[in-house]
Amino acid sequence: LYSIGIPEDTIINYEQALKADGFMVLVQDSKEEVERARTILKETDVKHLDTHCCAEKHKTDAIKKVI
């Protein structure tokens, strides 16, 4: 996750949620498609919905959902 631009402290939070039987949805695509996914995911029972943009290496947006 770090390699696609997610901050290390956020990764730790995701790991804790996953260990507590949560799950993560990761969308990595164009800005428009990520926004479309975000709109769809907002309609669910989401606990955290984060968007991180663009590690230098990967010029795409990414969205993560942890339930």
Side-chain angles (χ1 to χ4, degrees):
L1 294 175
Y2 184 78
S3 68
I4 63 170
I6 300 173
E8 190 173 343
D9 59 330
T10 303
I11 294 169
I12 292 168
N13 292 337
Y14 293 155
E15 287 175 348
Q16 291 171 348
L18 291 169
K19 287 177 183 176
D21 293 330
F23 68 92
M24 179 185 301
V25 175
L26 173 67
V27 176
Q28 187 173 358
D29 206 325
S30 67
K31 190 172 189 171
E32 294 79 18
E33 287 301 312
V34 168
E35 188 54 40
R36 182 172 173 246
R38 184 177 181 79
T39 299
I40 292 167
L41 292 171
K42 278 199 274 188
E43 297 176 10
T44 67
D45 184 25
V46 63
K47 291 185 180 173
H48 300 282
L49 187 58
D50 301 318
T51 304
H52 302 279
C53 182
C54 310
E56 208 42 47
K57 198 171 169 182
H58 300 276
K59 291 295 185 180
T60 58
D61 287 348
I63 187 171
K64 274 70 54 195
K65 173 185 176 182
V66 178
I67 296 180

